[in-house]
Amino acid sequence: MAPQNLSNAIRQSPPVDLTIPYDAAWVKGKTILITGGASGFGASFVRLWANNGATVIVGDINVNKGVELVRDVQKESGNKNIHFVHCDVTDWQSQVNLFKEAVKLSPHGGIDTVVANAGIAGEDNMQRGKDLDAAEPPKPEFKIYDVNSTGVLYTTHLAYFWLPRNPDSVECSMESKPAERVRDRHLLLLGSIASFSSIAAQPQYGAAKHAVMGLFRSLRATSHPQGIRVNLLCPYFINTPIVTPTARFLLAGGGMGEIKDVVDAGTRLVADSRILGRGLVIGPNLNIKQLDNGDWKLVELKTPGSHETAIWEVYADDWVEVDAFLHRIVRVINAFQAMRGWAGWASDIVKMVAYKVGIVNR
Ligand SMILES: NC(=O)c1ccc[n+]([C@@H]2O[C@H](COP(=O)([O-])OP(=O)(O)OC[C@H]3O[C@@H](n4cnc5c(N)ncnc54)[C@H](O)[C@@H]3O)[C@@H](O)[C@H]2O)c1
């Protein structure tokens, strides 16, 4: 297998062509579980998907907001298949309950899409050690990391259990027909621009969102045996309650993205079953022109060759170019292993035993 075919081998679809329309109505009949769905992006996703005939199970720690949202959305959309289940994503049992409840509430007894959306930001104590010179330094509280990383790992683990058990679903495929592919097996992760860029004063958030990116890139390479498609959203700063006053102060004068564009990008990924292993960045809506060297230039509206967008493909060429390096190095290491053959294996085993019984110590 040639390295340039690696994206085929992991069944990653080509970069998303954002000029091709999709239909939000393709979510009709799907059962979607979303964590952190009571506010911000989540609440807007719930509204749109409810209006388009999906069943949505919202798991959130905020009971008041969740119950209110579900009541309002049911009323506005006339869709009774919108439900709230209390869930703290950092609590394993709480997430297990959410998934089990979702399966019970699902009209077809399965889950088509899981959206790992719950997240928090806020004052970060990482760089502000307190009483660390005490005889017994207190254990720090790393809630921001726990919600944004451990919570996502729990959601992912449960998704990989329930998605392949979705009745009548078949393996994901880039040849599928989204209008007909109602049963799906899809995990949508919420990264951030902080998944691949530094975020000052929010080290836990930055570490957790980098973890989400690592999770995404690792999962998609080996998701096809279970037929699961995994995609990623990486919003820039968007106007929701998660953006702290300090961040708003620092961002003042700059651009902020809009929830509607996150909802547009996320809905495309949920609705279009042909999209496998892709990541989309969402930022302020800008009119740009691509230069010959690949850079983007901000230009006046209607400049020839320019277009307006708030959504970009990220890592468009990663498996084709960057990760091909990993493939090449693994191949060359495997070739080395093959060259050493059984003799090499036996000599390593002898060394390992000698190490274990203490004959050699290095
Ligand atoms: N708004 C942005 O600028 C931005 C940018 C990049 C990424 N994101 C990510 O998007 C996701 C959604 O954020 P948002 O902007 O809609 O924020 P939000 O604060 O409006 O929504 C987050 C939701 O998560 C819920 N939540 C928090 N802790 C939870 C827990 N332990 N268990 C269950 N639910 C919990 C909250 O109650 C809330 O409903 C997050 O993962 C966030 O990190 C947001």
Side-chain angles (χ1 to χ4, degrees):
M1 177 210 327
Q4 61 269 31
N5 289 338
L6 200 61
S7 50
N8 291 344
I10 66 160
R11 301 192 201 157
Q12 182 195 31
S13 55
V16 181
D17 185 346
L18 297 161
T19 62
I20 294 180
Y22 69 94
D23 191 346
W26 292 341
V27 304
K28 187 178 165 82
K30 290 190 195 295
T31 295
I32 305 172
L33 179 156
I34 180 166
T35 66
S39 165
F41 306 157
S44 297
F45 279 135
V46 176
R47 281 209 158 79
L48 184 70
W49 298 340
N51 282 324
N52 282 281
T55 292
V56 190
I57 292 95
V58 178
D60 203 293
I61 201 165
N62 191 327
V63 178
N64 289 343
K65 261 189 158 177
V67 169
E68 198 181 328
L69 174 79
V70 164
R71 196 190 52 220
D72 291 353
V73 172
Q74 282 193 1
K75 208 164 141 196
E76 288 158 20
S77 65
N79 182 344
K80 298 288 169 223
N81 287 329
I82 310 300
H83 308 278
F84 175 76
V85 179
H86 170 259
C87 173
D88 176 353
V89 291
T90 62
D91 179 338
W92 167 247
Q93 194 54 48
S94 181
Q95 286 221 48
V96 170
N97 295 345
L98 169 65
F99 275 75
K100 285 192 171 169
E101 203 52 37
V103 168
K104 272 195 226 150
L105 292 165
S106 171
H108 58 77
I111 303 170
D112 296 291
T113 284
V114 172
V115 188
N117 169 73
I120 56 168
E123 200 156 319
D124 195 321
N125 57 11
M126 177 67 77
Q127 289 158 295
R128 265 172 260 131
K130 230 176 141 199
D131 302 330
L132 296 188
D133 57 347
E136 291 297 333
K139 186 178 169 191
E141 192 250 304
F142 288 150
K143 184 96 184 152
I144 299 174
Y145 187 82
D146 288 344
V147 173
N148 295 304
S149 179
T150 309
V152 176
L153 296 182
Y154 287 162
T155 310
T156 299
H157 191 49
L158 287 160
Y160 273 74
F161 179 82
W162 285 108
L163 290 172
R165 285 167 175 74
N166 183 15
D168 299 327
S169 68
V170 292
E171 285 186 12
C172 61
S173 158
M174 32 183 147
E175 278 82 45
S176 61
K177 296 194 172 67
E180 295 163 23
R181 174 68 73 104
V182 182
R183 294 288 74 74
D184 201 357
R185 301 176 190 171
H186 180 217
L187 171 64
L188 179 61
L189 297 171
L190 254 296
S192 162
I193 198 80
S195 291
F196 43 90
S197 128
S198 55
I199 175 156
Q202 289 282 305
Q204 288 183 58
Y205 190 83
K209 290 299 183 184
H210 272 62
V212 173
M213 175 65 88
L215 180 69
F216 162 69
R217 299 183 80 200
S218 306
L219 289 175
R220 67 180 174 164
T222 48
S223 276
H224 51 266
Q226 291 122 311
I228 296 174
R229 58 192 191 98
V230 51
N231 292 302
L232 175 76
L233 289 176
C234 289
Y236 183 68
F237 292 93
I238 315 278
N239 193 4
T240 74
I242 207 172
V243 184
T244 60
T246 314
R248 286 170 195 270
F249 177 74
L250 294 172
L251 287 165
M256 248 205 182
E258 292 185 40
I259 295 181
K260 72 171 176 46
D261 293 319
V262 178
V263 173
D264 178 18
T267 302
R268 178 187 286 275
L269 297 178
V270 170
D272 192 339
S273 56
R274 295 166 298 189
I275 304 176
L276 279 63
R278 306 303 325 183
L280 296 175
V281 167
I282 304 96
N285 195 49
L286 304 170
N287 195 57
I288 52 164
K289 184 172 175 173
Q290 192 148 33
L291 305 178
D292 290 342
N293 67 1
D295 283 353
W296 289 314
K297 189 173 182 219
L298 196 60
V299 291
E300 296 286 322
L301 275 176
K302 301 211 167 90
T303 303
S306 73
H307 70 285
E308 212 181 339
T309 188
I311 306 173
W312 288 269
E313 250 284 347
V314 65
Y315 287 140
D317 297 320
D318 54 353
W319 278 104
V320 183
E321 297 288 339
V322 181
D323 287 358
F325 163 78
L326 287 174
H327 184 68
R328 288 186 195 114
I329 197 159
V330 168
R331 269 163 70 107
V332 84
I333 289 169
N334 285 348
F336 176 67
Q337 188 180 349
M339 190 187 75
R340 291 182 72 214
W342 284 108
W345 179 83
S347 92
D348 285 355
I349 292 294
V350 170
K351 277 187 211 150
M352 183 269 286
V353 173
Y355 178 82
K356 198 158 186 213
V357 297
I359 301 173
V360 289
N361 58 11
R362 43 178 290 153

